Amino acid sequence: MTMMFGAGLAPAALASLAVPALAEVAAPAPEPTLGGWIARDRELAQRGVASVDHPEMQQLYGDVVAALGKARAAIAAQRAAGAPPAACLPPPGAVQLTSRKIGTWLSARPAAEQGEALSAVMARFLAARFPCPAPSQ
């Protein structure tokens, strides 16, 4: 399975795991599922769309950034509520996540996850990538 997503994107763009500011907000689009995201990625690859400046590639990238932002916010809410967080994230900018690492992880997800919201899948990515240390006894 070839994942083309962001082959040339700068890793710093994903380093902060933050959602970019939007100039205008229209009615929110439904969140993509993992399966829908992968299908769009494959379709772009088949059409030869590789430029990071292409609007469809920017949308694909934006979906991952938004999903990471939702997952990060959920982890922050867990911490604020005093619950054990699903992941122990480093400070923004401390670790760089490349689009290739994320794309490879997404493409390896089992078929059972294809119908899940991309943010739920990205929350598991963060938990797998940044596990919290076991509580000391």
Side-chain angles (χ1 to χ4, degrees):
M1 175 184 311
T2 300
M3 293 294 290
M4 187 181 113
F5 168 63
L9 293 179
L14 294 174
S16 69
L17 305 175
V19 178
L22 299 174
E24 281 187 42
V25 178
E31 183 175 357
T33 63
L34 173 62
W37 188 90
I38 289 173
R40 287 184 10 242
D41 183 57
R42 287 181 184 157
E43 192 266 331
L44 288 174
Q46 288 174 350
R47 289 184 14 224
V49 176
S51 171
V52 296
D53 295 326
H54 191 281
E56 289 175 284
M57 188 61 84
Q58 288 293 313
Q59 179 62 45
L60 199 66
Y61 171 78
D63 287 346
V64 169
V65 172
L68 282 167
K70 279 185 174 183
R72 187 176 183 85
I75 291 166
Q78 290 169 340
R79 280 196 184 280
C88 289
L89 302 177
V95 174
Q96 293 187 347
L97 296 173
T98 65
S99 55
R100 184 174 307 274
K101 284 182 185 177
I102 293 171
T104 299
W105 195 86
L106 289 174
S107 68
R109 305 315 325 135
E113 294 182 18
Q114 299 294 307
E116 292 185 38
L118 191 56
S119 62
V121 177
M122 292 312 301
R124 282 195 299 282
F125 169 79
L126 292 176
R129 180 78 165 88
F130 305 108
C132 293
S136 45
Q137 301 294 327

